[in-house]
């Protein structure tokens, strides 16, 4: 149970960080919408924008961390 709680907390922190980066990039979203997009229950043009922008943000972050 402890590991599950820790994992949930880590995911919450990651999601909050990414939602903030999306908002800074001009893609307005919140935790509920972001979660729905990630689990596939929300689809459409905005969901596509959220996913593509999030992927771009994460790719840039990973490249920066590799330096």
């Amino acid at each position: 149970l402890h590991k599950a709680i820790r994992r949930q907390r880590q995911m919450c922190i990651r999601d909050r960080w990414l939602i903030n980066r999306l908002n800074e990039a001009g893609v307005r979203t919140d935790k509920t919408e972001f979660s729905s997009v990630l689990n596939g229950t929300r689809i459409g043009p905005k969901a596509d924008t959220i996913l593509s922008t999030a992927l771009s943000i994460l790719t840039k972050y990973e490249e920066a961390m590799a330096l």
Side-chain angles (χ1 to χ4, degrees):
L1 180 65
H2 175 67
K3 286 183 182 181
I5 292 170
R6 203 166 104 212
R7 178 171 160 69
Q8 181 63 34
R9 179 166 157 53
Q10 290 170 337
M11 290 171 55
C12 181
I13 291 168
R14 180 212 58 211
D15 290 353
R16 189 176 324 128
W17 178 86
L18 190 49
I19 289 167
N20 288 338
R21 301 295 79 74
L22 286 164
N23 285 316
E24 289 172 2
V27 180
R28 301 290 174 230
T29 191
D30 59 24
K31 182 181 178 197
T32 302
E33 182 177 48
F34 185 70
S35 294
S36 296
V37 169
L38 288 182
N39 70 31
T41 58
R42 180 165 294 190
I43 58 173
K46 185 170 182 189
D48 294 342
T49 299
I50 290 170
L51 288 173
S52 63
T53 306
L55 182 59
S56 175
I57 290 167
L58 292 171
T59 300
K60 289 177 186 174
Y61 176 80
E62 288 177 348
E63 289 170 354
M65 292 297 108
L67 297 177

